[in-house]
Amino acid sequence: MVGAVVVRDGVVVGEGFHPCFGAAHAEIGALRAAGEKARGATMYVTLEPCNHFGKTPPCTEAILDARVGRVVIATPDPTSVAGGGAQQLSDYGIGVDIGVEEAAARELNAPFFFAAAGARPWITLKLAVSRDWGMNDPSRQTRWITGEASRREVHRLRANADAIAVGLGTVRADDPHLTCRGQPVPRVQPIRVVFDRKAETPLETNLVRTARMVDTMIFAHRPPVERLAALHNAGVHVFDAATLNDALSALREFDVHHLFVEGGAQIARELLHGDLVDRLIIFQSPSTLGPDARRPFDGAAEDFAARLERLRVVSTNVFDNDTMTVYAIHEA
């Protein structure tokens, strides 16, 4: 996600952003909006302008052609393919400043930056909890802990991920679809991932029944051959992974840069215990579920609930009666 603004004599004369895959980059949109006013102006951009031919021509060429006087860049492009734009502009006499609002720009595209060097995907763990930190209604009278507005926001969050993951317990309890419904509709539905050690995901679940329509992966370890055959015949891709780390490494090799994990309690504990969560999103409702409800942090670090208070809060939003808080466990 990239934005660009062209400023001349203290006045914004053009703005642009990268709207979708394959479309014109932010710099191009800003230059088109500015027109002749871009000459001698300053461009502010959240990511170093690209210096290569990809889906579109290099942004550096457009900036040079527009005779922009100065370019202020929040953060360098970490990739060897697209990087080098700042040096190219500087070599042609354009003033270049790098590092303005760098932390905010890195937060905006944290999975992208992490993928440049990470051996696993950037992991966002989303949890829905009650006021007393329950994750399920023991009476089974209520399926949803949070309200409809929060659920719409979850679909928006899903649309920004490459893959959505759950554990077997969530599959059995909720029979989820793990697709993005509503707006915005992603160009490609995220891959659906189940961490299921014995490949016990029931064949009648929504995930298996629709596996030929949306890519679905199960990570298991030496499951029975008959289960492998049944899932394969249904269109599910089953991969062997002895540990959670092995599964995450495999996902990274499949170009999954951002993994959005939706629980349940078991997978949440494993990820937190292994210090594998980068962003923790908690939707908390005002309801209470009582002492018999599952708790997300049981078995994790004993002081994790207290540790939440020490973590940096990336953002807080209210959706009707629910509060969504995004915590930074690792910095971008």
Side-chain angles (χ1 to χ4, degrees), residues 14-278:
E15 299 181 19
F17 67 97
H18 186 206
C20 62
F21 179 78
H25 287 185
E27 298 93 323
I28 306 304
L31 290 173
R32 287 173 179 169
E36 288 299 318
K37 293 180 181 179
R39 183 182 293 269
T42 297
M43 171 180 283
Y44 298 86
V45 62
T46 57
L47 181 67
E48 180 181 16
C50 66
N51 192 39
H52 76 300
F53 281 90
K55 294 290 181 182
T56 61
C59 289
T60 51
E61 287 192 4
I63 293 170
L64 291 170
D65 290 343
R67 301 294 191 267
V68 170
R70 175 172 170 246
V71 178
V72 179
I73 301 167
T75 182
D77 190 312
T79 64
S80 58
V81 174
Q87 186 63 53
Q88 173 79 352
L89 295 173
S90 181
D91 288 346
Y92 277 86
I94 292 181
V96 176
D97 294 293
I98 301 179
V100 177
E101 295 286 355
E102 182 172 6
R106 286 188 173 274
E107 183 65 41
L108 181 67
N109 289 300
F112 167 72
F113 290 106
F114 188 81
R120 62 164 175 83
W122 177 265
I123 296 177
T124 297
L125 173 62
K126 186 274 294 182
L127 299 175
V129 299
S130 61
R131 183 162 56 88
D132 56 348
W133 296 97
M135 290 185 67
N136 71 310
D137 182 0
S139 69
R140 297 184 179 273
Q141 293 180 356
T142 303
R143 177 180 180 185
W144 304 108
I145 296 174
T146 55
E148 185 177 341
S150 293
R151 297 197 293 274
R152 285 197 300 267
E153 175 64 8
V154 169
H155 283 283
R156 191 191 70 82
L157 293 168
R158 287 177 176 181
N160 284 287
D162 300 306
I164 305 167
V166 294
L168 175 61
T170 297
V171 174
R172 284 175 165 164
D174 299 339
D175 192 17
H177 287 84
L178 298 186
T179 53
C180 302
R181 302 183 293 281
Q183 298 295 329
V185 177
R187 181 178 59 89
V188 177
Q189 285 283 352
I191 299 168
R192 304 181 300 188
V193 176
V194 182
F195 298 113
D196 175 7
R197 181 166 293 275
K198 296 181 181 178
E200 295 175 325
T201 297
L203 300 181
E204 64 273 14
T205 57
N206 288 316
L207 293 177
V208 176
R209 289 191 303 102
T210 60
R212 296 194 185 280
M213 292 180 277
V214 181
D215 280 344
T216 304
M217 297 181 177
I218 288 178
F219 285 93
H221 185 51
R222 298 176 181 174
V225 174
E226 61 272 15
R227 290 296 302 163
L228 284 174
L231 290 166
H232 174 77
N233 289 338
V236 178
H237 307 286
V238 183
F239 300 94
D240 189 86
T243 67
L244 181 58
N245 278 309
D246 290 342
L248 296 175
S249 296
L251 285 169
R252 181 62 188 84
E253 292 178 3
F254 288 124
D255 279 337
V256 172
H257 294 175
H258 185 191
L259 180 66
F260 188 71
V261 181
E262 297 204 33
Q266 177 67 30
I267 192 64
R269 287 196 294 267
E270 288 189 37
L271 288 167
L272 292 168
H273 181 73
D275 194 28
L276 296 168
V277 177
D278 301 297

Side-chain angles (χ1 to χ4, degrees), residues 130 132-136 138 288-295 298:
S130 61
D132 56 348
W133 296 97
M135 290 185 67
N136 71 310
T288 57
L289 294 175
D292 294 330
R294 291 194 305 270
R295 297 309 194 267
D298 296 345

